[in-house]
Amino acid sequence: RVLVWSGWLRISHASIGLAVLLLLLTGWLIAESPSLAASALDLHYLASSFLIFGLVVRIVLMFAGMEHERLSGLFPAGSELNAMAKTLRFYISLGKSPMPGWYAHNSLWKPVYFVIYLALVVLVISGAVMPDVSLILGFYVPSVHIFWAWIMFWFALLHIASVLLHDYRNQTTDISAMVNGYRLFLIENTRGGSGSEDLIQHITIDSLKKNR
Protein backbone atom coordinates (compact mmCIF):
# COMPACT_ATOMS: atom_id res chain seq x y z
CA ARG A 1 0.00 0.00 0.00
CA VAL A 2 1.84 3.05 -1.30
CA LEU A 3 0.98 6.75 -1.22
CA VAL A 4 0.97 7.73 -4.90
CA TRP A 5 -1.23 10.83 -5.18
CA SER A 6 -0.61 13.85 -2.96
CA GLY A 7 -3.39 15.72 -1.22
CA TRP A 8 -3.11 18.68 -3.58
CA LEU A 9 -3.34 16.41 -6.63
CA ARG A 10 -6.50 14.81 -5.24
CA ILE A 11 -8.01 18.22 -4.47
CA SER A 12 -7.20 19.35 -8.01
CA HIS A 13 -8.70 16.19 -9.52
CA ALA A 14 -11.90 16.53 -7.47
CA SER A 15 -12.26 20.24 -8.30
CA ILE A 16 -11.74 19.69 -12.02
CA GLY A 17 -13.89 16.56 -12.21
CA LEU A 18 -16.90 17.93 -10.34
CA ALA A 19 -16.64 21.29 -12.09
CA VAL A 20 -16.56 19.66 -15.54
CA LEU A 21 -19.67 17.59 -14.79
CA LEU A 22 -21.55 20.66 -13.57
CA LEU A 23 -20.31 22.78 -16.48
CA LEU A 24 -21.48 20.18 -19.01
CA LEU A 25 -24.91 19.98 -17.39
CA THR A 26 -25.41 23.74 -17.07
CA GLY A 27 -23.99 24.34 -20.55
CA TRP A 28 -26.57 21.96 -21.97
CA LEU A 29 -29.36 23.71 -20.01
CA ILE A 30 -28.22 27.12 -21.25
CA ALA A 31 -28.48 25.91 -24.85
CA GLU A 32 -31.58 23.73 -24.62
CA SER A 33 -33.77 25.15 -21.83
CA PRO A 34 -34.49 28.90 -22.18
CA SER A 35 -36.60 28.95 -19.02
CA LEU A 36 -33.64 27.71 -16.95
CA ALA A 37 -30.88 29.45 -18.90
CA ALA A 38 -30.43 32.39 -16.48
CA SER A 39 -30.11 30.18 -13.38
CA ALA A 40 -27.96 27.70 -15.27
CA LEU A 41 -25.63 30.50 -16.38
CA ASP A 42 -25.05 31.56 -12.77
CA LEU A 43 -24.15 27.96 -11.84
CA HIS A 44 -22.00 27.74 -14.96
CA TYR A 45 -19.86 30.67 -13.84
CA LEU A 46 -19.69 29.30 -10.29
CA ALA A 47 -18.50 25.92 -11.57
CA SER A 48 -15.95 27.63 -13.79
CA SER A 49 -14.32 29.17 -10.71
CA PHE A 50 -13.78 25.68 -9.26
CA LEU A 51 -12.39 24.54 -12.61
CA ILE A 52 -9.93 27.43 -12.69
CA PHE A 53 -8.85 26.69 -9.11
CA GLY A 54 -8.27 23.01 -9.92
CA LEU A 55 -6.38 23.86 -13.10
CA VAL A 56 -4.11 26.36 -11.34
CA VAL A 57 -3.26 23.78 -8.67
CA ARG A 58 -2.60 21.11 -11.32
CA ILE A 59 -0.35 23.42 -13.34
CA VAL A 60 1.65 24.26 -10.21
CA LEU A 61 2.05 20.53 -9.51
CA MET A 62 3.35 20.04 -13.06
CA PHE A 63 6.42 21.98 -11.98
CA ALA A 64 6.55 21.54 -8.19
CA GLY A 65 4.72 18.30 -7.44
CA MET A 66 5.90 14.74 -6.93
CA GLU A 67 7.95 13.24 -9.75
CA HIS A 68 5.02 11.46 -11.44
CA GLU A 69 2.75 14.52 -10.99
CA ARG A 70 5.05 16.76 -13.02
CA LEU A 71 4.68 17.66 -16.68
CA SER A 72 7.21 15.03 -17.72
CA GLY A 73 4.95 12.39 -16.17
CA LEU A 74 2.34 13.07 -18.87
CA PHE A 75 4.61 11.87 -21.68
CA PRO A 76 5.09 8.09 -22.02
CA ALA A 77 8.64 6.82 -22.38
CA GLY A 78 9.68 4.59 -25.26
CA SER A 79 9.77 1.62 -22.90
CA GLU A 80 6.04 2.08 -22.25
CA LEU A 81 4.93 1.48 -25.87
CA ASN A 82 4.41 -2.22 -25.23
CA ALA A 83 2.35 -1.46 -22.10
CA MET A 84 0.26 1.01 -24.10
CA ALA A 85 -0.50 -1.68 -26.70
CA LYS A 86 -1.47 -4.18 -23.99
CA THR A 87 -3.70 -1.60 -22.33
CA LEU A 88 -5.44 -0.93 -25.64
CA ARG A 89 -6.07 -4.66 -26.09
CA PHE A 90 -7.48 -4.75 -22.55
CA TYR A 91 -10.03 -2.07 -23.48
CA ILE A 92 -10.94 -3.62 -26.84
CA SER A 93 -11.54 -6.99 -25.16
CA LEU A 94 -13.57 -5.30 -22.39
CA GLY A 95 -11.18 -6.51 -19.73
CA LYS A 96 -10.66 -10.08 -20.97
CA SER A 97 -7.04 -9.53 -22.05
CA PRO A 98 -4.48 -9.07 -19.26
CA MET A 99 -3.60 -5.50 -18.43
CA PRO A 100 -0.09 -4.36 -17.51
CA GLY A 101 0.39 -2.70 -14.15
CA TRP A 102 1.44 0.89 -13.64
CA TYR A 103 2.67 2.96 -10.74
CA ALA A 104 0.89 6.30 -11.16
CA HIS A 105 -0.53 7.31 -14.55
CA ASN A 106 -1.80 4.66 -16.93
CA SER A 107 0.71 4.90 -19.80
CA LEU A 108 -1.98 4.87 -22.53
CA TRP A 109 -3.81 7.80 -20.97
CA LYS A 110 -0.77 9.99 -20.35
CA PRO A 111 -0.88 11.91 -23.68
CA VAL A 112 -4.68 12.06 -23.44
CA TYR A 113 -4.45 13.78 -20.07
CA PHE A 114 -2.04 16.35 -21.52
CA VAL A 115 -4.44 17.13 -24.39
CA ILE A 116 -7.36 17.37 -21.97
CA TYR A 117 -5.52 19.89 -19.79
CA LEU A 118 -4.89 21.99 -22.89
CA ALA A 119 -8.56 21.64 -23.84
CA LEU A 120 -9.62 22.84 -20.40
CA VAL A 121 -7.42 25.91 -20.76
CA VAL A 122 -9.03 26.61 -24.15
CA LEU A 123 -12.49 26.22 -22.62
CA VAL A 124 -11.66 28.61 -19.77
CA ILE A 125 -10.26 31.26 -22.12
CA SER A 126 -13.03 30.94 -24.71
CA GLY A 127 -15.69 31.01 -22.00
CA ALA A 128 -14.17 34.11 -20.43
CA VAL A 129 -13.94 36.12 -23.66
CA MET A 130 -17.12 34.85 -25.34
CA PRO A 131 -19.45 37.57 -23.95
CA ASP A 132 -17.27 40.30 -25.47
CA VAL A 133 -15.39 38.70 -28.38
CA SER A 134 -16.86 36.48 -31.08
CA LEU A 135 -13.82 35.96 -33.34
CA ILE A 136 -10.22 35.14 -32.46
CA LEU A 137 -7.72 34.44 -35.25
CA GLY A 138 -10.62 33.67 -37.56
CA PHE A 139 -12.20 31.15 -35.17
CA TYR A 140 -15.79 31.70 -34.01
CA VAL A 141 -15.39 31.56 -30.21
CA PRO A 142 -18.79 30.02 -29.32
CA SER A 143 -18.18 27.21 -31.83
CA VAL A 144 -14.73 26.57 -30.38
CA HIS A 145 -16.20 26.46 -26.88
CA ILE A 146 -18.95 24.03 -27.87
CA PHE A 147 -16.54 21.79 -29.82
CA TRP A 148 -14.18 21.33 -26.89
CA ALA A 149 -17.10 20.94 -24.50
CA TRP A 150 -18.20 17.91 -26.54
CA ILE A 151 -14.64 16.58 -26.41
CA MET A 152 -14.78 16.90 -22.61
CA PHE A 153 -18.14 15.11 -22.52
CA TRP A 154 -16.80 12.07 -24.37
CA PHE A 155 -13.56 12.09 -22.40
CA ALA A 156 -15.45 12.18 -19.08
CA LEU A 157 -17.65 9.30 -20.24
CA LEU A 158 -14.72 7.15 -21.36
CA HIS A 159 -12.62 8.08 -18.32
CA ILE A 160 -15.32 7.00 -15.85
CA ALA A 161 -16.02 3.80 -17.81
CA SER A 162 -12.33 2.87 -18.01
CA VAL A 163 -11.71 3.45 -14.30
CA LEU A 164 -14.69 1.26 -13.41
CA LEU A 165 -13.37 -1.41 -15.79
CA HIS A 166 -9.92 -1.20 -14.19
CA ASP A 167 -11.26 -1.78 -10.69
CA TYR A 168 -13.70 -4.50 -11.76
CA ARG A 169 -11.48 -6.54 -14.08
CA ASN A 170 -7.91 -5.78 -13.10
CA GLN A 171 -7.91 -5.51 -9.29
CA THR A 172 -6.58 -1.96 -9.38
CA THR A 173 -7.42 0.70 -6.82
CA ASP A 174 -7.82 3.71 -9.08
CA ILE A 175 -11.07 4.87 -7.50
CA SER A 176 -10.01 4.66 -3.86
CA ALA A 177 -6.56 6.05 -4.75
CA MET A 178 -8.16 9.32 -5.81
CA VAL A 179 -9.90 9.46 -2.43
CA ASN A 180 -7.13 8.49 -0.01
CA GLY A 181 -4.04 8.75 -2.24
CA TYR A 182 -2.93 5.12 -1.78
CA ARG A 183 -2.64 2.40 -4.40
CA LEU A 184 -2.31 -1.31 -3.68
CA PHE A 185 0.37 -3.33 -5.47
CA LEU A 186 0.24 -7.12 -5.70
CA ILE A 187 3.72 -8.54 -5.14
CA GLU A 188 4.26 -12.16 -6.19
CA ASN A 189 6.44 -14.36 -3.98
CA THR A 190 9.15 -15.97 -6.08
CA ARG A 191 11.14 -17.63 -3.30
CA GLY A 192 10.95 -21.29 -2.47
CA GLY A 193 10.66 -22.99 0.89
CA SER A 194 7.86 -23.31 3.37
CA GLY A 195 9.11 -21.21 6.26
CA SER A 196 7.45 -17.93 7.16
CA GLU A 197 10.64 -16.09 6.38
CA ASP A 198 10.27 -17.15 2.74
CA LEU A 199 7.03 -15.18 2.47
CA ILE A 200 8.75 -11.87 3.21
CA GLN A 201 9.92 -9.68 0.36
CA HIS A 202 11.79 -6.43 0.72
CA ILE A 203 10.86 -3.99 -2.05
CA THR A 204 11.50 -0.33 -2.74
CA ILE A 205 9.38 2.39 -4.31
CA ASP A 206 11.91 2.65 -7.15
CA SER A 207 11.49 -1.04 -7.95
CA LEU A 208 7.72 -0.61 -8.09
CA LYS A 209 8.02 2.31 -10.49
CA LYS A 210 10.49 0.42 -12.68
CA ASN A 211 8.47 -2.79 -12.88
CA ARG A 212 5.10 -1.16 -13.40
Coordinates of all heavy atoms in Angstrom, one line a residue, residues 80-143:
E80 N 7.4 2.3 -22.6 CA 6.0 2.1 -22.3 C 5.2 1.8 -23.5 O 4.0 1.5 -23.3 CB 5.5 3.3 -21.5 CG 6.1 3.6 -20.2 CD 5.5 4.9 -19.6 OE1 6.0 6.0 -19.9 OE2 4.6 4.7 -18.7
L81 N 5.7 1.7 -24.7 CA 4.9 1.5 -25.9 C 4.3 0.1 -25.8 O 3.1 0.0 -26.2 CB 5.8 1.6 -27.1 CG 6.4 3.0 -27.4 CD1 7.2 3.0 -28.6 CD2 5.2 4.0 -27.6
N82 N 5.0 -0.9 -25.3 CA 4.4 -2.2 -25.2 C 3.3 -2.2 -24.2 O 2.2 -2.9 -24.5 CB 5.5 -3.2 -24.8 CG 5.0 -4.6 -24.8 OD1 4.3 -5.1 -25.7 ND2 5.2 -5.4 -23.7
A83 N 3.4 -1.5 -23.1 CA 2.4 -1.5 -22.1 C 1.1 -0.7 -22.7 O 0.0 -1.1 -22.4 CB 2.9 -0.8 -20.9
M84 N 1.4 0.3 -23.5 CA 0.3 1.0 -24.1 C -0.5 0.1 -25.0 O -1.8 0.1 -25.0 CB 0.8 2.2 -24.9 CG 1.4 3.3 -24.0 SD 2.2 4.6 -24.9 CE 0.8 5.5 -25.5
A85 N 0.2 -0.7 -25.8 CA -0.5 -1.7 -26.7 C -1.3 -2.7 -25.9 O -2.5 -3.0 -26.3 CB 0.5 -2.4 -27.6
K86 N -0.8 -3.2 -24.8 CA -1.5 -4.2 -24.0 C -2.7 -3.5 -23.3 O -3.7 -4.2 -23.2 CB -0.5 -4.7 -22.9 CG 0.5 -5.7 -23.4 CD 1.4 -6.2 -22.3 CE 2.5 -7.2 -22.8 NZ 3.3 -7.7 -21.8
T87 N -2.6 -2.3 -22.9 CA -3.7 -1.6 -22.3 C -4.8 -1.4 -23.3 O -6.0 -1.6 -23.0 CB -3.3 -0.2 -21.8 OG1 -2.2 -0.4 -20.9 CG2 -4.4 0.5 -21.1
L88 N -4.4 -1.1 -24.6 CA -5.4 -0.9 -25.6 C -6.2 -2.2 -25.9 O -7.4 -2.3 -26.1 CB -4.8 -0.4 -26.9 CG -5.7 -0.1 -28.1 CD1 -6.7 1.0 -27.7 CD2 -4.9 0.4 -29.3
R89 N -5.4 -3.4 -25.9 CA -6.1 -4.7 -26.1 C -7.0 -5.0 -24.9 O -8.1 -5.6 -25.1 CB -5.0 -5.8 -26.2 CG -4.3 -5.8 -27.6 CD -3.6 -7.1 -27.8 NE -2.4 -7.3 -26.9 CZ -1.2 -6.9 -27.1 NH1 -0.9 -6.3 -28.2 NH2 -0.3 -7.1 -26.2
F90 N -6.6 -4.6 -23.7 CA -7.5 -4.7 -22.6 C -8.8 -4.1 -22.7 O -9.9 -4.6 -22.4 CB -6.8 -4.2 -21.3 CG -7.6 -4.2 -20.1 CD1 -7.7 -5.3 -19.3 CD2 -8.2 -3.0 -19.7 CE1 -8.5 -5.3 -18.1 CE2 -9.0 -3.0 -18.5 CZ -9.1 -4.1 -17.7
Y91 N -8.8 -2.8 -23.3 CA -10.0 -2.1 -23.5 C -10.9 -2.7 -24.6 O -12.1 -2.8 -24.5 CB -9.7 -0.6 -23.8 CG -9.2 0.2 -22.7 CD1 -8.2 1.1 -22.9 CD2 -9.6 0.0 -21.4 CE1 -7.7 1.9 -21.9 CE2 -9.1 0.8 -20.3 CZ -8.1 1.7 -20.6 OH -7.6 2.4 -19.5
I92 N -10.2 -3.1 -25.7 CA -10.9 -3.6 -26.8 C -11.6 -4.9 -26.5 O -12.7 -5.2 -26.9 CB -10.0 -3.8 -28.0 CG1 -9.5 -2.5 -28.6 CG2 -10.7 -4.6 -29.2 CD1 -8.4 -2.6 -29.6
S93 N -11.0 -5.7 -25.6 CA -11.5 -7.0 -25.2 C -12.5 -6.8 -24.0 O -13.0 -7.8 -23.4 CB -10.4 -8.0 -24.8 OG -9.7 -7.5 -23.6
L94 N -12.7 -5.6 -23.5 CA -13.6 -5.3 -22.4 C -13.1 -6.0 -21.1 O -13.9 -6.5 -20.3 CB -15.0 -5.7 -22.7 CG -15.7 -4.9 -23.8 CD1 -17.1 -5.4 -24.0 CD2 -15.7 -3.4 -23.5
G95 N -11.8 -6.0 -21.0 CA -11.2 -6.5 -19.7 C -10.8 -8.0 -19.8 O -10.4 -8.5 -18.7
K96 N -11.0 -8.7 -20.9 CA -10.7 -10.1 -21.0 C -9.2 -10.3 -21.2 O -8.6 -11.3 -20.7 CB -11.5 -10.7 -22.1 CG -13.0 -10.7 -21.8 CD -13.7 -11.4 -23.0 CE -15.2 -11.3 -22.7 NZ -16.0 -12.0 -23.8
S97 N -8.5 -9.4 -21.9 CA -7.0 -9.5 -22.0 C -6.3 -9.0 -20.8 O -6.9 -8.1 -20.1 CB -6.6 -8.7 -23.3 OG -7.1 -9.3 -24.5
P98 N -5.2 -9.6 -20.5 CA -4.5 -9.1 -19.3 C -4.0 -7.6 -19.4 O -3.7 -7.2 -20.6 CB -3.3 -10.0 -19.1 CG -3.1 -10.6 -20.5 CD -4.5 -10.7 -21.1
M99 N -4.0 -6.9 -18.4 CA -3.6 -5.5 -18.4 C -2.3 -5.3 -17.7 O -2.2 -5.8 -16.6 CB -4.7 -4.6 -17.8 CG -4.4 -3.1 -18.0 SD -5.8 -2.1 -17.5 CE -5.3 -0.5 -18.1
P100 N -1.3 -4.6 -18.2 CA -0.1 -4.4 -17.5 C -0.3 -3.4 -16.3 O -1.3 -2.6 -16.3 CB 0.8 -3.7 -18.6 CG -0.2 -3.0 -19.5 CD -1.3 -3.9 -19.6
G101 N 0.5 -3.6 -15.3 CA 0.4 -2.7 -14.2 C 1.0 -1.4 -14.4 O 1.7 -1.2 -15.4
W102 N 0.8 -0.4 -13.5 CA 1.4 0.9 -13.6 C 1.5 1.5 -12.2 O 0.8 1.1 -11.3 CB 0.7 1.8 -14.6 CG -0.7 2.1 -14.1 CD1 -1.1 3.1 -13.3 CD2 -1.9 1.4 -14.5 NE1 -2.5 3.1 -13.1 CE2 -3.0 2.1 -13.9 CE3 -2.2 0.3 -15.3 CZ2 -4.3 1.6 -14.0 CZ3 -3.5 -0.1 -15.5 CH2 -4.5 0.5 -14.8
Y103 N 2.5 2.4 -12.1 CA 2.7 3.0 -10.7 C 1.7 4.1 -10.5 O 1.1 4.2 -9.5 CB 4.1 3.4 -10.6 CG 4.4 4.0 -9.2 CD1 4.5 3.2 -8.1 CD2 4.5 5.4 -9.1 CE1 4.8 3.8 -6.8 CE2 4.7 6.0 -7.8 CZ 4.8 5.2 -6.7 OH 5.1 5.7 -5.5
A104 N 1.7 5.1 -11.4 CA 0.9 6.3 -11.2 C -0.1 6.5 -12.3 O -1.2 6.0 -12.3 CB 1.8 7.5 -11.0
H105 N 0.3 7.1 -13.4 CA -0.5 7.3 -14.6 C -0.5 6.1 -15.4 O 0.5 5.5 -15.7 CB -0.1 8.5 -15.4 CG -0.3 9.8 -14.8 ND1 -1.5 10.3 -14.4 CD2 0.6 10.8 -14.4 CE1 -1.4 11.5 -13.9 NE2 -0.1 11.8 -13.8
N106 N -1.7 5.7 -15.9 CA -1.8 4.7 -16.9 C -1.1 5.2 -18.2 O -1.4 6.3 -18.7 CB -3.3 4.4 -17.2 CG -3.6 3.4 -18.3 OD1 -2.8 3.2 -19.2 ND2 -4.7 2.7 -18.2
S107 N -0.1 4.4 -18.7 CA 0.7 4.9 -19.8 C -0.1 5.3 -21.0 O 0.3 6.2 -21.7 CB 1.8 3.8 -20.2 OG 1.1 2.6 -20.5
L108 N -1.2 4.6 -21.3 CA -2.0 4.9 -22.5 C -2.7 6.2 -22.4 O -2.9 6.9 -23.4 CB -3.0 3.8 -22.8 CG -3.9 3.9 -24.0 CD1 -3.0 3.8 -25.3 CD2 -4.9 2.8 -24.1
W109 N -3.0 6.6 -21.2 CA -3.8 7.8 -21.0 C -2.9 9.0 -20.8 O -3.4 10.2 -20.8 CB -4.7 7.6 -19.7 CG -5.9 6.8 -20.0 CD1 -6.0 5.4 -19.9 CD2 -7.2 7.2 -20.4 NE1 -7.3 5.0 -20.2 CE2 -8.0 6.1 -20.5 CE3 -7.8 8.5 -20.6 CZ2 -9.4 6.2 -20.9 CZ3 -9.1 8.6 -21.0 CH2 -9.9 7.4 -21.1
K110 N -1.6 8.8 -20.6 CA -0.8 10.0 -20.3 C -0.9 11.1 -21.4 O -1.2 12.3 -21.0 CB 0.7 9.5 -20.3 CG 1.1 8.9 -19.0 CD 2.5 8.5 -18.9 CE 3.0 7.9 -17.6 NZ 4.4 7.6 -17.6
P111 N -0.7 10.8 -22.7 CA -0.9 11.9 -23.7 C -2.3 12.5 -23.8 O -2.5 13.6 -24.1 CB -0.5 11.2 -25.0 CG -0.6 9.8 -24.8 CD -0.3 9.6 -23.3
V112 N -3.3 11.6 -23.4 CA -4.7 12.1 -23.4 C -4.9 13.1 -22.3 O -5.5 14.1 -22.6 CB -5.6 10.9 -23.3 CG1 -7.1 11.4 -23.2 CG2 -5.5 9.8 -24.4
Y113 N -4.3 12.8 -21.2 CA -4.5 13.8 -20.1 C -3.8 15.1 -20.5 O -4.4 16.2 -20.2 CB -3.7 13.3 -18.8 CG -4.4 12.1 -18.2 CD1 -3.6 11.1 -17.6 CD2 -5.8 11.9 -18.2 CE1 -4.2 10.0 -17.0 CE2 -6.4 10.8 -17.6 CZ -5.6 9.8 -17.0 OH -6.2 8.7 -16.4
F114 N -2.7 15.1 -21.1 CA -2.0 16.3 -21.5 C -2.9 17.2 -22.5 O -3.1 18.4 -22.3 CB -0.7 16.0 -22.2 CG 0.0 17.3 -22.7 CD1 0.6 18.1 -21.8 CD2 0.1 17.6 -24.0 CE1 1.3 19.2 -22.2 CE2 0.8 18.7 -24.5 CZ 1.4 19.5 -23.5
V115 N -3.5 16.5 -23.4 CA -4.4 17.1 -24.4 C -5.7 17.7 -23.7 O -6.1 18.8 -24.0 CB -4.9 16.2 -25.5 CG1 -6.0 16.8 -26.4 CG2 -3.7 15.8 -26.4
I116 N -6.2 16.9 -22.7 CA -7.4 17.4 -22.0 C -7.1 18.6 -21.1 O -7.9 19.5 -21.1 CB -7.9 16.2 -21.1 CG1 -8.5 15.1 -21.9 CG2 -8.9 16.8 -20.1 CD1 -9.6 15.6 -22.8
Y117 N -5.9 18.7 -20.5 CA -5.5 19.9 -19.8 C -5.5 21.1 -20.7 O -5.9 22.2 -20.4 CB -4.2 19.7 -19.1 CG -4.3 18.8 -17.9 CD1 -3.4 17.7 -17.7 CD2 -5.3 19.0 -16.9 CE1 -3.5 16.9 -16.6 CE2 -5.4 18.1 -15.8 CZ -4.5 17.1 -15.7 OH -4.6 16.2 -14.6
L118 N -4.9 20.9 -21.9 CA -4.9 22.0 -22.9 C -6.3 22.4 -23.3 O -6.6 23.6 -23.4 CB -4.1 21.6 -24.1 CG -2.6 21.4 -24.0 CD1 -2.0 20.9 -25.3 CD2 -1.9 22.7 -23.5
A119 N -7.2 21.4 -23.5 CA -8.6 21.6 -23.8 C -9.3 22.4 -22.8 O -10.1 23.3 -23.0 CB -9.3 20.3 -24.1
L120 N -9.0 22.1 -21.5 CA -9.6 22.8 -20.4 C -9.2 24.3 -20.4 O -10.0 25.2 -20.1 CB -9.3 22.2 -19.1 CG -10.0 20.8 -18.8 CD1 -9.4 20.2 -17.5 CD2 -11.5 21.0 -18.7
V121 N -7.9 24.5 -20.7 CA -7.4 25.9 -20.8 C -8.1 26.7 -21.9 O -8.6 27.8 -21.7 CB -5.9 25.9 -21.0 CG1 -5.4 27.4 -21.3 CG2 -5.2 25.4 -19.8
V122 N -8.3 26.0 -23.0 CA -9.0 26.6 -24.2 C -10.5 26.9 -23.8 O -11.0 28.0 -24.1 CB -9.0 25.7 -25.4 CG1 -9.9 26.2 -26.5 CG2 -7.6 25.6 -25.9
L123 N -11.1 26.0 -23.1 CA -12.5 26.2 -22.6 C -12.6 27.4 -21.6 O -13.5 28.2 -21.7 CB -13.0 24.9 -22.0 CG -13.4 23.8 -22.9 CD1 -13.6 22.5 -22.2 CD2 -14.7 24.2 -23.7
V124 N -11.6 27.5 -20.7 CA -11.7 28.6 -19.8 C -11.5 29.9 -20.5 O -12.2 30.9 -20.3 CB -10.6 28.4 -18.7 CG1 -10.4 29.7 -17.9 CG2 -10.9 27.3 -17.8
I125 N -10.5 30.0 -21.4 CA -10.3 31.3 -22.1 C -11.4 31.6 -23.0 O -11.9 32.8 -23.0 CB -9.0 31.1 -22.9 CG1 -7.8 31.0 -22.0 CG2 -8.8 32.4 -23.8 CD1 -6.4 30.7 -22.7
S126 N -11.9 30.7 -23.8 CA -13.0 30.9 -24.7 C -14.3 31.3 -23.9 O -15.0 32.2 -24.4 CB -13.3 29.7 -25.6 OG -13.6 28.6 -24.9
G127 N -14.5 30.7 -22.8 CA -15.7 31.0 -22.0 C -15.6 32.4 -21.4 O -16.6 33.1 -21.3
A128 N -14.4 32.8 -21.0 CA -14.2 34.1 -20.4 C -14.4 35.2 -21.4 O -14.9 36.3 -21.1 CB -12.8 34.2 -19.8
V129 N -13.9 35.0 -22.7 CA -13.9 36.1 -23.7 C -15.2 36.1 -24.5 O -15.5 37.1 -25.2 CB -12.7 36.1 -24.6 CG1 -11.4 36.1 -23.8 CG2 -12.7 34.8 -25.5
M130 N -16.0 35.0 -24.5 CA -17.1 34.9 -25.3 C -18.2 36.0 -25.2 O -18.7 36.4 -26.2 CB -17.8 33.5 -25.1 CG -18.7 33.1 -26.2 SD -19.0 31.3 -26.2 CE -19.4 30.9 -24.5
P131 N -18.4 36.5 -24.0 CA -19.4 37.6 -23.9 C -19.0 38.8 -24.7 O -19.9 39.6 -25.1 CB -19.6 37.8 -22.4 CG -19.1 36.5 -21.8 CD -18.0 36.0 -22.7
D132 N -17.7 39.1 -24.9 CA -17.3 40.3 -25.5 C -16.6 40.1 -26.8 O -16.6 41.1 -27.6 CB -16.2 41.0 -24.5 CG -16.8 41.2 -23.1 OD1 -17.9 41.8 -23.1 OD2 -16.2 40.9 -22.2
V133 N -16.1 38.9 -27.1 CA -15.4 38.7 -28.4 C -16.0 37.5 -29.1 O -16.1 36.4 -28.4 CB -13.9 38.5 -28.1 CG1 -13.2 38.2 -29.4 CG2 -13.3 39.7 -27.4
S134 N -16.3 37.6 -30.4 CA -16.9 36.5 -31.1 C -15.9 35.8 -32.0 O -16.0 34.6 -32.3 CB -18.1 36.9 -31.9 OG -17.7 38.0 -32.8
L135 N -14.8 36.5 -32.4 CA -13.8 36.0 -33.3 C -12.4 36.1 -32.8 O -12.1 37.2 -32.3 CB -13.9 36.6 -34.7 CG -15.1 36.2 -35.6 CD1 -15.1 37.1 -36.9 CD2 -15.0 34.7 -36.0
I136 N -11.6 35.1 -32.8 CA -10.2 35.1 -32.5 C -9.4 34.4 -33.5 O -9.7 33.2 -33.7 CB -10.0 34.5 -31.1 CG1 -10.6 35.4 -30.0 CG2 -8.4 34.5 -30.8 CD1 -10.4 34.8 -28.6
L137 N -8.5 35.1 -34.2 CA -7.7 34.4 -35.3 C -8.6 33.7 -36.3 O -8.2 32.7 -36.8 CB -6.7 33.5 -34.6 CG -5.7 34.1 -33.6 CD1 -4.8 33.0 -33.0 CD2 -4.8 35.1 -34.3
G138 N -9.7 34.3 -36.6 CA -10.6 33.7 -37.6 C -11.5 32.6 -37.0 O -12.3 32.0 -37.8
F139 N -11.4 32.2 -35.8 CA -12.2 31.2 -35.2 C -13.4 31.8 -34.5 O -13.2 32.7 -33.7 CB -11.4 30.3 -34.2 CG -10.3 29.5 -34.9 CD1 -9.0 29.9 -34.9 CD2 -10.7 28.2 -35.4 CE1 -8.0 29.1 -35.5 CE2 -9.7 27.4 -36.0 CZ -8.4 27.9 -36.1
Y140 N -14.6 31.2 -34.7 CA -15.8 31.7 -34.0 C -15.8 31.1 -32.6 O -15.9 29.9 -32.4 CB -17.0 31.3 -34.8 CG -18.3 31.8 -34.2 CD1 -18.5 33.1 -34.0 CD2 -19.4 30.9 -33.9 CE1 -19.7 33.6 -33.5 CE2 -20.6 31.4 -33.4 CZ -20.7 32.8 -33.2 OH -21.9 33.2 -32.7
V141 N -15.6 32.0 -31.6 CA -15.4 31.6 -30.2 C -16.5 30.6 -29.7 O -16.2 29.6 -29.1 CB -15.2 32.8 -29.3 CG1 -15.0 32.3 -27.8 CG2 -14.0 33.6 -29.7
P142 N -17.8 30.9 -29.8 CA -18.8 30.0 -29.3 C -18.7 28.6 -29.9 O -18.9 27.6 -29.2 CB -20.1 30.7 -29.7 CG -19.8 32.1 -29.8 CD -18.4 32.2 -30.3
S143 N -18.3 28.5 -31.2 CA -18.2 27.2 -31.8 C -17.0 26.5 -31.2 O -17.1 25.2 -31.0 CB -18.0 27.4 -33.3 OG -19.2 27.9 -33.9

